[in-house]
Amino acid sequence: MALSMFVLKTAEDDETVTYGYGDGPDELSGSVTIAKESGAPVEASLPGRAEIALRAIFKGRSRTGDWPHHYTYAA
């Protein structure tokens, strides 16, 4: 079974960027906030799906060179 994760940027300021994640744009089930300078999540611990969302965010970022507006990750 293939893994699929959709991430959508929901907020951004000078220091952080926040993404919602889930099965699709209308099915977001959680969120993760990332410190822009370090690239590390702001939250101390993350549930498993948030870890997958981080992979999707950084995969999208590696393709665009910037924080993506949205990205679909499939593995």
Side-chain angles (χ1 to χ4, degrees), residues 39-52:
V42 172
E43 296 85 356
S45 65
L46 298 170
R49 288 189 51 90
E51 293 285 342
I52 298 166

Side-chain angles (χ1 to χ4, degrees), residues 35-63:
K36 286 182 174 180
E37 187 173 318
S38 67
V42 172
E43 296 85 356
S45 65
L46 298 170
R49 288 189 51 90
E51 293 285 342
I52 298 166
L54 283 176
R55 280 188 251 156
I57 294 163
F58 287 108
K59 182 71 169 180
R61 186 168 185 220
S62 72
R63 291 178 185 244

